[in-house]
Amino acid sequence: MWFYVMTFYLALPLLVLAASRWGGWPEKSVAILFVAAALATMLVRSGAATKYHSVELGVFAVDLALLAGLAAVAVRANRWWTIWAAAFQAITVTGHLAKMATPGLSRMAYALMLGVSAYPALIALALGIWNHHRATIRAAGAISSGSSPAVPRPRPGPPPPR
């Protein structure tokens, strides 16, 4: 289990750096939201002896806030991956609701429901950073070659009258 957790905490700062370097505002916003949620979760999570025995109300509040933030970004951004990230976070919130509905749910099942969707959300962010970077390069190449619709091409023929 430690490898699973450590992989997340190694990937997150790398994605934050990548988002700050190559991302647009949605990528940077989501990276900040992920870091804030990870730090807040560390602060509010129960101790090892009682962790995941009952609903982690503090973690539930953090996960709801993260879902609200991701949904807000998804509504405003023109990026497909933001919807995926919000959907993966909704799966995490559903894990809390499952524990509320089924108090006898095992600690391991509850822990997995809370953590398993974090990796696809990070992958969605990574894809978003990659796609934004590629689009930026394409746009820069199109502008420099004069093929961008934003840069009008000169029309063949006589010059316009003065």
Side-chain angles (χ1 to χ4, degrees), residues 61-105:
V62 170
D63 286 340
L64 276 175
L66 179 58
L67 177 59
L70 292 173
V73 172
V75 166
R76 289 174 180 82
N78 61 346
R79 313 276 205 283
W80 55 268
W81 69 267
T82 57
I83 298 168
W84 287 14
F88 290 129
Q89 185 60 26
I91 292 169
T92 300
V93 169
T94 303
H96 291 290
L97 298 175
K99 182 66 174 177
M100 287 179 189
T102 314
L105 186 67

Side-chain angles (χ1 to χ4, degrees), residues 105-125:
L105 186 67
S106 77
R107 291 172 65 181
M108 182 60 79
Y110 182 39
L112 285 173
M113 283 191 290
L114 297 190
V116 75
S117 63
Y119 289 94
L122 288 181
I123 291 169
L125 174 58

